[in-house]
Coordinates of all heavy atoms in Angstrom, one line a residue:
V1 N -9.5 -6.8 6.6 CA -8.1 -6.8 6.6 C -7.6 -5.7 5.7 O -8.0 -5.5 4.6 CB -7.5 -8.2 6.2 CG1 -6.0 -8.1 6.1 CG2 -7.8 -9.3 7.1
L2 N -6.7 -4.9 6.2 CA -6.1 -3.7 5.5 C -4.8 -4.2 4.8 O -3.9 -4.7 5.5 CB -5.9 -2.5 6.4 CG -5.2 -1.4 5.8 CD1 -6.1 -0.7 4.7 CD2 -4.8 -0.4 6.8
F3 N -4.7 -3.9 3.5 CA -3.4 -4.1 2.8 C -2.9 -2.8 2.4 O -3.7 -2.0 1.8 CB -3.6 -5.1 1.6 CG -3.9 -6.5 1.9 CD1 -5.3 -6.9 2.0 CD2 -2.9 -7.3 2.1 CE1 -5.5 -8.2 2.4 CE2 -3.1 -8.6 2.4 CZ -4.5 -9.1 2.5
V4 N -1.7 -2.4 2.7 CA -1.0 -1.2 2.2 C 0.2 -1.7 1.5 O 0.9 -2.5 1.9 CB -0.6 -0.3 3.4 CG1 0.1 0.9 3.0 CG2 -1.8 0.0 4.3
F5 N 0.4 -1.0 0.3 CA 1.5 -1.5 -0.5 C 2.1 -0.4 -1.4 O 1.5 0.6 -1.6 CB 1.0 -2.7 -1.5 CG -0.3 -2.4 -2.1 CD1 -0.4 -1.9 -3.4 CD2 -1.5 -2.8 -1.5 CE1 -1.6 -1.6 -4.0 CE2 -2.8 -2.6 -2.1 CZ -2.8 -2.0 -3.3
A6 N 3.3 -0.6 -1.7 CA 4.1 0.3 -2.5 C 4.6 -0.4 -3.8 O 5.1 -1.5 -3.7 CB 5.4 0.8 -1.7
K7 N 4.2 0.2 -4.9 CA 4.6 -0.4 -6.2 C 5.6 0.5 -6.9 O 5.6 1.8 -6.8 CB 3.4 -0.6 -7.0 CG 2.5 -1.7 -6.6 CD 1.5 -2.0 -7.6 CE 1.5 -3.4 -7.9 NZ 0.7 -3.8 -9.0
A8 N 6.5 -0.1 -7.7 CA 7.4 0.7 -8.5 C 6.6 1.5 -9.5 O 5.5 1.1 -10.0 CB 8.3 -0.2 -9.3
I9 N 7.1 2.7 -9.8 CA 6.3 3.6 -10.7 C 6.1 3.1 -12.0 O 5.1 3.2 -12.7 CB 7.1 5.0 -10.8 CG1 7.0 5.7 -9.5 CG2 6.5 5.9 -11.9 CD1 5.7 6.0 -9.0
N10 N 7.1 2.2 -12.5 CA 6.9 1.6 -13.9 C 5.8 0.6 -13.9 O 5.4 0.1 -15.0 CB 8.2 0.9 -14.3 CG 8.6 -0.2 -13.4 OD1 7.8 -0.8 -12.7 ND2 9.9 -0.7 -13.6
G11 N 5.1 0.3 -12.7 CA 3.9 -0.4 -12.7 C 4.0 -2.0 -12.8 O 3.1 -2.7 -12.6
G12 N 5.2 -2.4 -13.2 CA 5.3 -3.9 -13.4 C 5.7 -4.6 -12.2 O 6.3 -4.2 -11.3
G13 N 5.1 -5.8 -12.2 CA 5.5 -6.8 -11.2 C 4.8 -6.6 -9.8 O 3.9 -5.7 -9.7
P14 N 5.1 -7.3 -8.8 CA 4.5 -7.3 -7.5 C 4.9 -6.0 -6.8 O 5.9 -5.4 -7.2 CB 5.0 -8.5 -6.8 CG 6.3 -8.8 -7.4 CD 6.2 -8.4 -8.9
P15 N 4.3 -5.7 -5.6 CA 4.7 -4.6 -4.9 C 6.1 -4.7 -4.3 O 6.6 -5.9 -4.2 CB 3.7 -4.6 -3.7 CG 2.6 -5.4 -4.1 CD 3.1 -6.4 -5.1
V16 N 6.8 -3.6 -4.2 CA 8.1 -3.6 -3.6 C 8.1 -3.7 -2.0 O 9.1 -4.1 -1.4 CB 9.0 -2.5 -4.1 CG1 9.4 -2.6 -5.5 CG2 8.4 -1.1 -3.7
A17 N 6.9 -3.4 -1.5 CA 6.7 -3.4 0.0 C 5.3 -3.5 0.2 O 4.5 -3.0 -0.5 CB 7.3 -2.2 0.7
A18 N 4.9 -4.3 1.2 CA 3.5 -4.4 1.6 C 3.3 -4.8 3.1 O 4.2 -5.4 3.6 CB 2.8 -5.5 0.7
K19 N 2.2 -4.4 3.6 CA 1.8 -4.8 5.0 C 0.3 -5.3 4.9 O -0.5 -4.8 4.2 CB 1.9 -3.6 6.0 CG 3.3 -3.2 6.3 CD 3.3 -2.3 7.6 CE 4.7 -2.0 7.9 NZ 4.9 -1.5 9.3
R20 N 0.1 -6.3 5.8 CA -1.3 -6.8 6.0 C -1.5 -6.6 7.4 O -0.9 -7.1 8.3 CB -1.3 -8.3 5.7 CG -2.6 -9.0 5.9 CD -2.5 -10.5 5.7 NE -3.8 -11.1 5.6 CZ -4.5 -11.5 6.7 NH1 -4.0 -11.3 8.0 NH2 -5.7 -12.1 6.6
I21 N -2.6 -5.9 7.7 CA -2.9 -5.5 9.1 C -4.4 -5.7 9.4 O -5.3 -5.3 8.6 CB -2.6 -4.0 9.3 CG1 -1.2 -3.7 8.8 CG2 -2.9 -3.5 10.7 CD1 -0.9 -2.2 8.7
E22 N -4.7 -6.3 10.5 CA -6.1 -6.4 10.9 C -6.4 -5.1 11.7 O -5.8 -4.8 12.7 CB -6.3 -7.6 11.7 CG -6.2 -8.9 10.9 CD -6.7 -10.1 11.5 OE1 -7.6 -10.1 12.3 OE2 -6.2 -11.2 11.1
V23 N -7.3 -4.3 11.3 CA -7.6 -3.0 11.8 C -9.1 -2.9 12.2 O -9.9 -3.3 11.5 CB -7.2 -1.9 10.8 CG1 -7.5 -0.5 11.4 CG2 -5.8 -2.0 10.4
N24 N -9.2 -2.3 13.4 CA -10.6 -2.1 13.9 C -11.1 -0.6 13.8 O -12.3 -0.3 13.9 CB -10.8 -2.6 15.2 CG -10.6 -4.2 15.3 OD1 -11.0 -4.8 14.3 ND2 -10.1 -4.7 16.3
T25 N -10.1 0.3 13.8 CA -10.4 1.7 13.9 C -9.5 2.4 12.9 O -8.4 2.0 12.6 CB -10.2 2.3 15.3 OG1 -8.8 2.2 15.7 CG2 -11.0 1.6 16.3
F26 N -10.0 3.6 12.4 CA -9.3 4.4 11.5 C -9.4 5.9 12.0 O -10.4 6.2 12.7 CB -9.9 4.4 10.1 CG -9.7 3.0 9.4 CD1 -10.6 2.0 9.5 CD2 -8.5 2.8 8.8 CE1 -10.3 0.8 8.9 CE2 -8.2 1.7 8.1 CZ -9.2 0.6 8.2
P27 N -8.5 6.8 11.8 CA -7.3 6.6 10.8 C -6.2 5.9 11.6 O -6.2 5.8 12.8 CB -6.9 8.0 10.5 CG -7.4 8.8 11.7 CD -8.7 8.2 12.2
I28 N -5.3 5.3 10.8 CA -4.1 4.8 11.4 C -2.9 5.4 10.7 O -2.9 5.9 9.7 CB -4.0 3.2 11.3 CG1 -3.9 2.8 9.8 CG2 -5.3 2.6 11.9 CD1 -3.6 1.4 9.6
Q29 N -1.7 5.2 11.4 CA -0.4 5.7 10.8 C 0.4 4.4 10.8 O 0.4 3.6 11.8 CB 0.2 6.7 11.7 CG -0.4 8.1 11.6 CD 0.5 9.1 12.3 OE1 1.2 8.8 13.2 NE2 0.4 10.3 11.8
L30 N 1.1 4.3 9.7 CA 2.1 3.1 9.6 C 3.2 3.5 8.7 O 3.2 4.5 8.0 CB 1.5 1.9 9.1 CG 0.8 1.9 7.7 CD1 1.8 1.5 6.7 CD2 -0.3 0.9 7.7
E31 N 4.3 2.8 8.7 CA 5.5 3.0 7.9 C 5.9 1.8 7.1 O 5.9 0.7 7.7 CB 6.6 3.4 8.9 CG 7.9 3.7 8.1 CD 9.0 4.1 9.1 OE1 8.7 4.9 10.1 OE2 10.2 3.8 8.8
L32 N 6.2 2.0 5.9 CA 6.7 0.9 5.1 C 8.2 1.2 5.0 O 8.7 2.3 4.9 CB 6.1 1.0 3.6 CG 4.6 0.6 3.5 CD1 4.1 0.8 2.1 CD2 4.4 -0.8 3.9
S33 N 9.0 0.0 5.0 CA 10.4 0.1 4.9 C 10.9 -1.2 4.2 O 10.1 -2.0 3.8 CB 11.0 0.1 6.3 OG 10.8 -1.1 7.0
D34 N 12.2 -1.2 4.1 CA 12.8 -2.5 3.4 C 12.4 -3.7 4.2 O 12.4 -4.8 3.6 CB 14.3 -2.3 3.4 CG 14.8 -1.4 2.3 OD1 14.0 -1.0 1.4 OD2 16.0 -1.1 2.2
A35 N 12.1 -3.6 5.4 CA 11.6 -4.8 6.2 C 10.3 -5.4 5.7 O 10.0 -6.6 5.9 CB 11.5 -4.5 7.7
D36 N 9.6 -4.5 4.9 CA 8.3 -4.9 4.3 C 8.4 -5.4 2.9 O 7.4 -5.6 2.3 CB 7.3 -3.8 4.4 CG 7.1 -3.4 5.9 OD1 6.8 -4.2 6.8 OD2 7.3 -2.1 6.2
S37 N 9.7 -5.4 2.4 CA 9.9 -5.8 1.0 C 9.5 -7.3 0.8 O 9.7 -8.1 1.7 CB 11.3 -5.6 0.6 OG 11.6 -4.2 0.6
L38 N 9.0 -7.6 -0.4 CA 8.5 -9.0 -0.6 C 9.6 -9.8 -1.2 O 9.6 -11.0 -1.1 CB 7.3 -8.9 -1.6 CG 6.1 -8.1 -1.1 CD1 5.0 -8.1 -2.1 CD2 5.6 -8.6 0.3
M39 N 10.6 -9.2 -1.9 CA 11.7 -9.9 -2.5 C 13.0 -9.2 -2.1 O 13.1 -8.0 -2.2 CB 11.5 -9.9 -4.0 CG 10.3 -10.7 -4.5 SD 10.1 -10.7 -6.2 CE 9.9 -8.9 -6.6
P40 N 14.0 -10.0 -1.8 CA 15.3 -9.3 -1.4 C 15.9 -8.6 -2.6 O 16.7 -7.7 -2.3 CB 16.2 -10.5 -1.1 CG 15.3 -11.7 -0.9 CD 14.0 -11.4 -1.6
S41 N 15.6 -8.9 -3.8 CA 16.1 -8.3 -4.9 C 15.4 -7.0 -5.3 O 15.9 -6.2 -6.2 CB 16.2 -9.2 -6.2 OG 14.9 -9.5 -6.5
A42 N 14.3 -6.7 -4.7 CA 13.5 -5.5 -5.0 C 13.1 -4.8 -3.7 O 12.0 -4.9 -3.2 CB 12.2 -5.9 -5.8
K43 N 14.0 -4.0 -3.2 CA 13.8 -3.3 -1.9 C 13.1 -2.0 -2.2 O 13.3 -1.4 -3.2 CB 15.2 -3.0 -1.2 CG 16.0 -4.3 -0.9 CD 15.6 -4.7 0.5 CE 16.5 -5.8 1.0 NZ 15.9 -6.6 2.0
L44 N 12.4 -1.6 -1.2 CA 11.7 -0.3 -1.3 C 12.7 0.8 -1.4 O 12.5 1.8 -2.3 CB 10.9 -0.1 0.0 CG 10.1 1.2 0.2 CD1 9.1 1.4 -1.0 CD2 9.4 1.3 1.4
S45 N 13.8 0.7 -0.7 CA 14.8 1.8 -0.8 C 15.5 1.9 -2.1 O 16.2 2.9 -2.4 CB 15.9 1.7 0.3 OG 16.5 0.4 0.2
S46 N 15.4 0.9 -3.0 CA 16.1 0.9 -4.3 C 15.3 1.7 -5.3 O 15.7 1.9 -6.4 CB 16.3 -0.5 -4.8 OG 15.0 -1.1 -5.1
Q47 N 14.1 2.1 -4.9 CA 13.2 2.9 -5.8 C 13.3 4.3 -5.5 O 13.4 4.8 -4.3 CB 11.7 2.4 -5.6 CG 11.4 1.0 -5.8 CD 11.7 0.6 -7.2 OE1 11.3 1.2 -8.2 NE2 12.4 -0.6 -7.4
E48 N 13.3 5.2 -6.5 CA 13.4 6.7 -6.3 C 12.0 7.2 -6.0 O 11.9 8.0 -5.0 CB 13.8 7.3 -7.6 CG 14.5 8.6 -7.4 CD 15.1 9.2 -8.7 OE1 16.0 8.5 -9.2 OE2 14.7 10.2 -9.2
K49 N 11.0 6.7 -6.6 CA 9.6 7.0 -6.3 C 8.8 5.8 -6.3 O 9.1 4.8 -7.0 CB 9.0 8.0 -7.4 CG 9.6 9.3 -7.4 CD 8.9 10.2 -8.5 CE 9.5 11.6 -8.5 NZ 8.8 12.4 -9.5
V50 N 7.7 5.8 -5.5 CA 6.8 4.6 -5.5 C 5.3 5.1 -5.4 O 5.1 6.3 -5.1 CB 7.0 3.7 -4.3 CG1 8.3 2.9 -4.4 CG2 6.9 4.4 -3.0
S51 N 4.5 4.3 -5.8 CA 3.0 4.5 -5.8 C 2.5 3.8 -4.5 O 2.6 2.6 -4.4 CB 2.4 3.9 -7.0 OG 1.0 3.9 -6.9
I52 N 1.9 4.5 -3.6 CA 1.4 4.0 -2.3 C -0.1 3.8 -2.4 O -0.7 4.8 -2.8 CB 1.7 4.8 -1.1 CG1 3.2 5.1 -1.0 CG2 1.1 4.2 0.2 CD1 4.0 3.9 -0.6
S53 N -0.6 2.7 -2.1 CA -2.0 2.5 -2.1 C -2.5 1.6 -1.0 O -1.6 1.0 -0.3 CB -2.5 1.9 -3.5 OG -4.0 2.1 -3.6
A54 N -3.8 1.4 -0.8 CA -4.3 0.6 0.2 C -5.7 0.0 -0.2 O -6.3 0.5 -1.1 CB -4.5 1.4 1.5
R55 N -6.0 -1.1 0.5 CA -7.3 -1.8 0.2 C -7.7 -2.5 1.4 O -6.9 -3.1 2.1 CB -7.1 -2.7 -0.9 CG -8.3 -3.5 -1.3 CD -8.2 -4.3 -2.6 NE -6.8 -4.8 -2.9 CZ -6.3 -5.8 -2.3 NH1 -7.0 -6.6 -1.5 NH2 -5.1 -6.3 -2.6
I56 N -9.0 -2.4 1.8 CA -9.6 -3.2 2.8 C -10.2 -4.4 2.0 O -11.1 -4.2 1.2 CB -10.7 -2.5 3.6 CG1 -10.1 -1.4 4.3 CG2 -11.4 -3.5 4.5 CD1 -11.1 -0.5 5.1
S57 N -9.7 -5.6 2.4 CA -10.2 -6.8 1.8 C -11.3 -7.4 2.6 O -11.1 -7.7 3.8 CB -9.1 -7.9 1.6 OG -9.6 -9.1 1.2
M58 N -12.5 -7.5 2.1 CA -13.7 -8.1 2.8 C -13.5 -9.5 3.0 O -14.0 -10.1 4.0 CB -15.0 -7.8 2.1 CG -15.3 -6.3 1.9 SD -15.2 -5.5 3.5 CE -15.7 -3.8 3.1
Q59 N -12.7 -10.2 2.2 CA -12.5 -11.6 2.3 C -11.2 -12.0 3.0 O -10.9 -13.1 3.3 CB -12.4 -12.3 0.9 CG -13.7 -12.1 0.1 CD -14.9 -12.6 0.7 OE1 -15.0 -13.6 1.3 NE2 -16.0 -11.8 0.6
G60 N -10.4 -10.9 3.3 CA -9.1 -11.2 4.0 C -8.0 -11.7 3.1 O -7.0 -12.3 3.6
V61 N -8.1 -11.6 1.8 CA -7.1 -12.1 0.8 C -6.4 -11.0 0.1 O -6.9 -9.9 0.0 CB -7.7 -13.1 -0.2 CG1 -8.4 -14.3 0.5 CG2 -8.8 -12.4 -1.0
A62 N -5.2 -11.3 -0.4 CA -4.4 -10.3 -1.0 C -4.9 -9.8 -2.4 O -4.7 -8.7 -2.8 CB -2.9 -10.8 -1.1
D63 N -5.5 -10.7 -3.2 CA -6.0 -10.4 -4.4 C -7.3 -9.5 -4.3 O -8.1 -9.7 -3.5 CB -6.4 -11.6 -5.2 CG -5.2 -12.5 -5.6 OD1 -4.1 -11.9 -5.7 OD2 -5.4 -13.7 -5.7
S64 N -7.3 -8.4 -5.2 CA -8.4 -7.5 -5.2 C -9.7 -8.2 -5.7 O -9.6 -8.9 -6.6 CB -8.1 -6.3 -6.1 OG -9.1 -5.4 -6.2
Q65 N -10.8 -7.9 -5.0 CA -12.1 -8.5 -5.4 C -13.2 -7.5 -5.2 O -13.1 -6.5 -4.5 CB -12.4 -9.7 -4.3 CG -11.4 -10.8 -4.4 CD -11.7 -12.0 -3.5 OE1 -12.7 -12.0 -2.8 NE2 -10.8 -13.0 -3.5
A66 N -14.3 -7.8 -6.0 CA -15.5 -6.9 -5.9 C -15.9 -6.8 -4.5 O -15.9 -7.8 -3.7 CB -16.5 -7.5 -6.8
G67 N -16.2 -5.6 -4.1 CA -16.7 -5.3 -2.8 C -15.6 -4.8 -1.8 O -15.9 -4.2 -0.8
D68 N -14.3 -4.9 -2.2 CA -13.2 -4.4 -1.4 C -13.3 -2.9 -1.5 O -13.7 -2.3 -2.5 CB -11.9 -4.8 -2.0 CG -11.6 -6.3 -1.7 OD1 -12.4 -6.9 -1.0 OD2 -10.6 -6.8 -2.2
I69 N -12.8 -2.2 -0.4 CA -12.7 -0.8 -0.4 C -11.3 -0.3 -0.7 O -10.3 -0.8 -0.1 CB -13.1 -0.2 1.0 CG1 -14.6 -0.7 1.3 CG2 -13.1 1.3 1.0 CD1 -15.0 -0.4 2.7
E70 N -11.1 0.5 -1.7 CA -9.8 0.9 -2.2 C -9.5 2.3 -2.1 O -10.4 3.2 -2.0 CB -9.7 0.5 -3.7 CG -9.9 -0.9 -4.0 CD -9.8 -1.2 -5.6 OE1 -10.4 -0.4 -6.3 OE2 -9.2 -2.2 -5.9
A71 N -8.2 2.7 -2.1 CA -7.7 4.1 -2.2 C -7.1 4.4 -3.5 O -6.5 3.4 -4.1 CB -6.7 4.2 -1.0
Q72 N -7.1 5.6 -3.9 CA -6.4 5.9 -5.1 C -4.9 6.1 -4.7 O -4.6 6.5 -3.6 CB -6.9 7.3 -5.6 CG -6.1 7.8 -6.8 CD -7.0 8.5 -7.8 OE1 -8.2 8.5 -7.7 NE2 -6.3 9.1 -8.8
A73 N -4.1 5.6 -5.6 CA -2.6 5.6 -5.4 C -2.1 7.1 -5.2 O -2.6 8.0 -5.9 CB -1.9 4.9 -6.5
V74 N -1.1 7.2 -4.3 CA -0.4 8.4 -4.1 C 1.0 8.2 -4.4 O 1.6 7.2 -4.0 CB -0.5 8.9 -2.6 CG1 0.3 10.1 -2.4 CG2 -2.0 9.1 -2.3
I75 N 1.7 9.0 -5.2 CA 3.1 8.9 -5.5 C 4.0 9.7 -4.6 O 3.7 10.8 -4.3 CB 3.3 9.3 -7.0 CG1 2.6 8.3 -7.9 CG2 4.8 9.2 -7.3 CD1 2.7 8.6 -9.3
I76 N 5.0 9.0 -4.0 CA 5.9 9.7 -3.1 C 7.4 9.4 -3.5 O 7.7 8.4 -4.1 CB 5.7 9.3 -1.7 CG1 6.0 7.9 -1.4 CG2 4.3 9.7 -1.2 CD1 6.1 7.5 0.0
E77 N 8.3 10.3 -3.1 CA 9.7 10.1 -3.2 C 10.2 9.3 -2.0 O 9.9 9.7 -0.9 CB 10.4 11.4 -3.4 CG 10.1 12.1 -4.6 CD 10.8 13.4 -4.8 OE1 11.7 13.7 -3.9 OE2 10.5 14.2 -5.7
T78 N 10.9 8.2 -2.2 CA 11.3 7.3 -1.1 C 12.4 8.0 -0.3 O 12.5 7.6 0.9 CB 11.7 6.0 -1.6 OG1 12.8 6.2 -2.5 CG2 10.6 5.2 -2.3
R79 N 13.1 8.9 -0.8 CA 14.2 9.5 0.0 C 13.8 10.7 0.7 O 14.6 11.3 1.5 CB 15.4 9.8 -0.9 CG 16.0 8.4 -1.4 CD 17.0 8.7 -2.5 NE 17.7 7.4 -3.0 CZ 17.1 6.6 -3.8 NH1 15.9 6.8 -4.3 NH2 17.7 5.5 -4.2
S80 N 12.6 11.2 0.7 CA 12.1 12.3 1.4 C 11.5 11.8 2.8 O 11.2 10.6 2.9 CB 11.0 13.1 0.6 OG 9.8 12.4 0.7
N81 N 11.4 12.7 3.7 CA 10.8 12.4 5.0 C 9.4 12.7 5.0 O 8.7 12.7 6.1 CB 11.6 13.1 6.1 CG 12.9 12.4 6.3 OD1 13.1 11.3 6.1 ND2 13.9 13.3 6.7
K82 N 8.8 13.0 3.9 CA 7.4 13.4 3.8 C 6.5 12.2 4.1 O 6.8 11.1 3.7 CB 7.1 14.0 2.5 CG 7.7 15.3 2.3 CD 7.4 15.9 0.9 CE 8.1 17.3 0.7 NZ 7.9 17.9 -0.6
T83 N 5.3 12.5 4.6 CA 4.3 11.4 4.7 C 3.3 11.5 3.6 O 3.2 12.5 2.9 CB 3.5 11.6 6.1 OG1 2.9 12.8 6.1 CG2 4.5 11.4 7.2
A84 N 2.6 10.4 3.4 CA 1.6 10.3 2.4 C 0.2 10.0 3.1 O 0.2 9.2 3.9 CB 1.9 9.3 1.3
E85 N -0.8 10.7 2.7 CA -2.2 10.4 3.2 C -2.9 9.6 2.1 O -3.1 10.1 1.0 CB -2.9 11.7 3.5 CG -4.2 11.4 4.1 CD -4.9 12.7 4.6 OE1 -4.3 13.4 5.4 OE2 -6.0 13.0 4.1
V86 N -3.3 8.4 2.4 CA -4.1 7.6 1.5 C -5.5 7.4 2.1 O -5.6 7.0 3.2 CB -3.3 6.2 1.5 CG1 -4.1 5.2 0.5 CG2 -2.0 6.3 1.0
K87 N -6.5 7.7 1.2 CA -7.9 7.7 1.7 C -8.6 6.5 1.0 O -8.6 6.4 -0.2 CB -8.6 9.0 1.4 CG -8.0 10.1 2.2 CD -8.8 11.4 1.8 CE -8.2 12.6 2.6 NZ -8.9 13.8 2.4
L88 N -9.1 5.7 1.8 CA -10.0 4.6 1.2 C -11.4 5.2 0.9 O -12.1 5.6 1.7 CB -10.2 3.5 2.3 CG -8.8 2.8 2.7 CD1 -9.0 2.2 4.1 CD2 -8.4 1.8 1.7
S89 N -11.6 5.2 -0.4 CA -12.8 6.1 -0.9 C -13.6 5.4 -2.0 O -14.6 6.0 -2.3 CB -12.2 7.4 -1.4 OG -11.4 7.3 -2.5
R90 N -13.3 4.3 -2.4 CA -14.1 3.7 -3.5 C -14.3 2.2 -3.3 O -13.4 1.5 -2.8 CB -13.6 4.0 -4.9 CG -12.2 3.4 -5.1 CD -11.7 3.7 -6.5 NE -10.4 3.0 -6.7 CZ -9.4 3.6 -7.2 NH1 -9.3 4.9 -7.5 NH2 -8.2 2.9 -7.3
I91 N -15.4 1.7 -3.8 CA -15.7 0.2 -3.7 C -15.4 -0.4 -5.0 O -15.8 0.0 -6.1 CB -17.1 0.0 -3.3 CG1 -17.4 0.6 -1.9 CG2 -17.5 -1.5 -3.3 CD1 -18.8 0.5 -1.4
K92 N -14.6 -1.4 -5.0 CA -14.2 -2.2 -6.2 C -15.5 -2.9 -6.8 O -16.2 -3.5 -6.1 CB -13.2 -3.3 -5.9 CG -12.8 -4.2 -7.0 CD -11.5 -4.0 -7.5 CE -11.2 -5.1 -8.5 NZ -10.6 -4.6 -9.7
Q93 N -15.7 -2.6 -8.0 CA -16.8 -3.3 -8.7 C -16.5 -4.6 -9.3 O -15.4 -4.9 -9.7 CB -17.3 -2.3 -9.8 CG -17.8 -1.0 -9.3 CD -18.9 -1.0 -8.3 OE1 -19.9 -1.8 -8.5 NE2 -18.8 -0.4 -7.2

């Protein structure tokens, strides 16, 4: 299961947006929006910049575990129309 998430740059708290996707092939393209926000009080659009990351969970759970495949976070401005490329490149120890 692939988890893609956006976190506030200040690093505190849960993601401001997240998707859980069962994926069989890569690469994929997806979009995070306010519809993917986890809390009504913390919308993705309320952030100036966010840290985007992804993880393949071998167990299919949201919490990071040893053996999961992770990507290094990429910082993007939420108000730009630019895309971010996130590469799954390391195994969680």
